[in-house]
Amino acid sequence: MKKTFSAIISAAAAIILPLSAAQAQTAGFLDVNPDPVSMGMAGTGTVLEATPYAMWNNIASSALGEEKFQVGASYSLWQPSFTSNHVAGVAGYGRVARFMTVSAGVRYFSHQPYDVTDPTSGIVTGQFRPMDLQAGVGLGFKVLPILSLGVNVNYVLSDIGGPKKGGAVAADFGALLDLKFIRVGLTAANIGSKLNYGGTSSYALPANVKLGVGTIQRFGAEDKHAVSVFWEGGMVFEQTAFFTGIGAQYSFNDFVRVSAGYHYGNTEKLVIGSYASIGAGVKILGISINAAYLIGLSQDSPLSNTFSLGVGYAF
């Protein structure tokens, strides 16, 4: 029976993402950020101004921003030309004191179903759809007018059809320095326990560290025009793999925005390889609608045509 369950786990892991078995076991879904604003800028969220999904970009940004409350929901179709995974996210934060914010969020990753076969007869008895989920809460602190810190605590659940669901607990940490002419952000994510599906093996989460540098420059009458340029680089510890990206955005009167970016990732080691991105959004009376679209940089890139849509509210 244990061998049967092990076979199910291995088969499911091979289906989940276009990676080698070793890479699929590292809970790569945690690298998929459901924030369409960040996605439209090639994932350069470390120094991004706070969005409803700040806890997955840099939790520290929630305390350094001006908004008292933000909440958002998003849907992404991930790798539609390859696996058509569905990603949903709901997140937000609120300011509970002048110097402190509380964040909460849930993201859900649904994979393509696979057939369940009776090990004795070889007959297909049904289908199973693997799923992954992360739920967390976080705190952000403004320790200086130009400096904020933050931390998330998250529970990770992964169900790929084994005898037990895999569970893990992890934390994310963030710091953000805003000197007006330059922003510097630092994050460490997925630092915690390993996933275990009830067998003898445990699988590490994709622990990583990111450093971001960027600027947001406002100009024109009443500063109605704004241009943002962000660079970000980091490393995933388990694979000893580096990645980097650059994103740019133009916004007018906090009403309409357009963005673009480029991300480099080692496709042999990382869940997210290289791609280009574009994004756009509008905001009226605190209600925002945002979209992002990814462009694979090779003919067979599984990221091609990935898109994300989101709606949010802030005041």
Side-chain angles (χ1 to χ4, degrees):
M1 184 63 71
K2 289 184 178 180
K3 291 182 178 180
T4 301
F5 285 136
S6 297
I8 292 173
I9 292 174
S10 298
I15 291 172
I16 287 173
L17 290 170
L19 303 171
S20 69
Q23 295 157 3
Q25 292 167 355
T26 58
F29 70 93
L30 293 173
D31 291 333
V32 181
N33 189 336
D35 182 3
V37 176
S38 175
M39 187 180 290
M41 299 181 72
T44 54
T46 308
V47 289
L48 183 67
E49 290 183 302
T51 74
Y53 315 92
M55 63 184 297
W56 297 316
N57 292 316
N58 184 343
I59 180 63
S61 66
S62 63
L64 210 57
E66 297 180 355
E67 289 82 1
K68 296 180 180 179
F69 173 84
Q70 289 204 63
V71 64
S74 69
Y75 166 78
S76 304
L77 184 60
W78 185 255
Q79 300 177 334
S81 60
F82 191 88
T83 56
S84 292
N85 297 324
H86 303 280
V87 185
V90 178
Y93 70 86
R95 190 172 301 279
V96 296
R98 187 179 61 179
F99 64 92
M100 185 174 71
T101 58
V102 175
S103 301
V106 177
R107 52 179 163 178
Y108 173 83
F109 201 108
S110 174
H111 304 276
Q112 286 294 293
Y114 66 87
D115 292 333
V116 177
T117 304
D118 182 271
T120 303
S121 64
I123 298 174
V124 176
T125 59
Q127 282 192 329
F128 183 82
R129 182 181 290 273
M131 59 79 68
D132 300 302
L133 181 144
Q134 182 195 50
V137 295
L139 295 174
F141 300 92
K142 181 188 288 187
V143 295
L144 292 172
I146 60 171
L147 176 65
S148 60
L149 305 174
V151 60
N152 300 330
V153 178
N154 307 294
Y155 176 71
V156 178
L157 173 67
S158 180
D159 186 356
I160 58 175
K164 295 181 180 179
K165 298 178 178 65
V169 177
D172 303 335
F173 305 91
L176 182 61
L177 178 68
D178 186 0
L179 299 175
K180 302 306 178 184
F181 61 91
I182 190 170
R183 293 164 67 91
V184 181
L186 179 66
T187 65
N190 306 319
I191 311 299
S193 61
K194 296 183 177 182
L195 282 170
N196 186 292
Y197 295 95
T200 57
S201 298
S202 295
Y203 308 119
L205 302 181
N208 64 81
V209 61
K210 299 178 184 178
L211 172 66
V213 178
T215 184
I216 303 173
Q217 296 300 319
R218 295 175 171 84
F219 57 94
E222 300 179 351
D223 288 341
K224 288 186 176 181
H225 302 272
V227 173
S228 305
V229 179
F230 301 146
W231 169 86
E232 181 178 284
M235 183 183 74
V236 179
F237 297 127
E238 185 72 9
Q239 286 80 27
T240 316
F242 294 89
F243 56 89
T244 189
I246 186 170
Q249 176 177 275
Y250 166 77
S251 63
F252 173 73
N253 202 28
D254 199 29
F255 166 64
V256 62
R257 65 170 195 87
V258 292
S259 61
Y262 167 78
H263 175 92
Y264 167 77
N266 187 328
T267 55
E268 298 297 321
K269 293 184 176 183
L270 299 174
V271 170
I272 301 179
S274 299
Y275 66 86
S277 69
I278 55 175
V282 294
K283 185 177 181 180
I284 303 175
L285 299 176
I287 300 173
S288 60
I289 300 174
N290 296 289
Y293 181 81
L294 303 189
I295 304 165
L297 298 181
S298 63
Q299 187 174 3
D300 59 349
S301 172
L303 291 173
S304 294
N305 302 318
T306 292
F307 69 86
S308 178
L309 298 172
V311 60
Y313 177 70
F315 70 85

